[in-house]
Amino acid sequence: YRNYDLTVVGHSLGGGCAQVLSLMLRPSYPTLKCFAYEPPGCILDDKLAGECEEFITSIVRNDDLVPRITQQNLETLRDEFFDVVARMKISKIKVFQDVRVPCADEDLQRRNAGVLYPKGQASRDTPFYSQIRKFRTERAEKNKQGEVSVKLYIPGKLIHVVDAPGSETTKYVPYWANRYDFNQVVLSKSMLSDHAIPDLVSILKSIDLEEYHEHATFQTSDVTEETKYRFIGEFICCSYPHGKVPLILTLSSIIAIILSILSNQVCKFVTRTTTIVYPNGTTVPGTGVSAGLYSYALQQCINPN
């Protein structure tokens, strides 16, 4: 099957699996193509990521967190967080209470000025900053020893789809990006929602990549009887194309099955009993019913007379 056209696609972790799988299958399928949607950023090293540009294309949306998750990015985010904590001029609990209140962009600088010292003016003669300095020295020594020496990147060519809210012609603009452009975690209100595959599918359907790029893109209207067989070669790793609804329904069904098994002649979710009272005051138990989800047990009268 060496002459077969094979396309490997995946989203998120499935996108990373698709990239690794494509690298493994490429020698057997020279025409193989891979499209990874919002894959993790810690897949291949710099050299190997560049060698995959011929057959791997990665698509990243806006401020998506997952493609920016790498060892070096998380360490940078950690160091920046420590720097912010060291610049606080008020107690941390007051800062936490303050950031919980929404703030407009035009007021953000003024509010930060009341909470943080300017850069370079915070005192470094504090126990907290001494601990930060000691921690960074230890991490730098470990990095020199090679424990964290290899930087990882997103493989292949990259298409970055950014939001364009001020544009009158389109809401989204795709452009060819560089793998070095994703060397920092972007903290924004959409950093998690940008990872949703249903939204990305809608965006890719709404934009015309041919308008922004020279190469032709595949359109479903181009499918003919002769090319329908090409869909057979598509391989989808851990795809999540239909959103959260199928997952919620699947989990609900599994929970219902487990409860039905436990309740079958075992659990009594509903129990009703009756008592027969004779004129002379004598009482005897009557008919009782206990019910589960799929079963019921009828309790006969002890003394029918």
Side-chain angles (χ1 to χ4, degrees):
Y1 306 103
R2 184 177 178 84
N3 296 328
Y4 276 38
D5 292 335
L6 182 63
T7 303
V8 187
V9 301
H11 172 257
S12 189
L13 180 59
C17 295
Q19 291 171 336
V20 176
L21 180 62
S22 299
L23 192 64
M24 298 170 61
L25 295 179
R26 177 70 173 180
S28 300
Y29 298 89
T31 59
L32 178 145
K33 297 294 182 182
C34 174
F35 295 92
Y37 301 94
E38 299 172 325
C42 49
I43 301 297
L44 302 178
D45 60 21
D46 190 17
K47 180 180 178 181
L48 195 55
E51 294 176 353
C52 297
E53 292 184 353
E54 182 181 352
F55 58 94
I56 292 181
T57 302
S58 301
I59 296 92
V60 178
R61 182 193 172 194
N62 214 38
D63 298 334
D64 188 4
L65 171 65
V66 175
R68 295 174 170 85
I69 296 181
T70 62
Q71 177 79 25
Q72 56 270 26
N73 287 358
L74 294 180
E75 287 189 349
T76 300
L77 179 63
R78 177 202 61 204
D79 293 339
E80 292 177 350
F81 172 77
F82 286 156
D83 288 338
V84 172
V85 173
R87 291 169 52 198
M88 291 181 181
K89 61 173 64 174
I90 59 178
S91 64
K92 299 178 180 61
I93 186 62
K94 291 184 178 180
V95 174
F96 177 74
Q97 294 173 351
D98 186 71
V99 298
R100 291 175 59 189
V101 180
C103 180
D105 293 339
E106 56 270 16
D107 298 329
L108 187 60
Q109 185 175 1
R110 177 185 54 80
R111 188 171 74 168
N112 288 346
V115 176
L116 304 175
Y117 288 107
K119 291 184 178 180
Q121 297 185 15
S123 175
R124 299 192 176 187
D125 298 329
T126 61
F128 178 75
Y129 204 89
S130 300
Q131 294 177 357
I132 295 178
R133 188 183 299 110
K134 180 180 178 182
F135 174 77
R136 289 176 175 173
T137 302
E138 294 176 353
R139 294 301 304 176
E141 291 296 329
K142 291 183 179 180
N143 292 344
K144 290 181 180 179
Q145 296 173 5
E147 295 187 14
V148 189
S149 58
V150 179
K151 294 184 178 181
L152 302 178
Y153 300 90
I154 305 175
K157 295 181 179 179
L158 276 82
I159 298 178
H160 191 197
V161 182
V162 297
D163 297 348
S167 176
E168 298 180 358
T169 58
T170 179
K171 295 182 179 179
Y172 310 98
V173 176
Y175 71 95
W176 288 112
N178 191 297
R179 57 181 174 274
Y180 307 114
D181 295 340
F182 303 92
N183 59 354
Q184 187 178 22
V185 175
V186 179
L187 299 180
S188 68
K189 61 181 180 181
S190 63
M191 59 186 295
L192 298 179
S193 59
D194 284 341
H195 193 66
I197 185 62
D199 295 339
L200 180 62
V201 171
S202 301
I203 292 172
L204 294 179
K205 288 181 178 180
S206 65
I207 61 178
D208 185 7
L209 293 179
E210 293 182 353
E211 182 180 347
Y212 300 94
H213 307 293
E214 297 179 356
H215 68 83
T217 57
F218 180 79
Q219 304 291 338
T220 55
S221 59
D222 299 333
V223 179
T224 61
E225 292 295 328
E226 292 77 16
T227 59
K228 282 185 178 179
Y229 75 92
R230 305 178 74 143
F231 286 96
I232 300 177
E234 293 186 357
F235 185 87
I236 302 177
C237 289
C238 305
S239 182
Y240 193 26
H242 302 296
K244 298 181 180 180
V245 175
L247 179 61
I248 295 175
L249 293 178
T250 301
L251 294 177
S252 300
S253 301
I254 294 175
I255 294 174
I257 293 173
I258 294 175
L259 291 178
S260 65
I261 294 174
L262 294 177
S263 66
N264 191 13
Q265 301 294 348
V266 177
C267 297
K268 298 179 181 179
F269 291 121
V270 178
T271 301
R272 299 300 298 271
T273 59
T274 60
T275 302
I276 301 175
V277 181
Y278 291 98
N280 59 3
T282 304
T283 60
V284 295
T287 302
V289 176
S290 62
L293 289 180
Y294 290 143
S295 65
Y296 68 92
L298 184 63
Q299 300 175 353
Q300 299 294 333
C301 294
I302 296 178
N303 185 5
N305 297 323

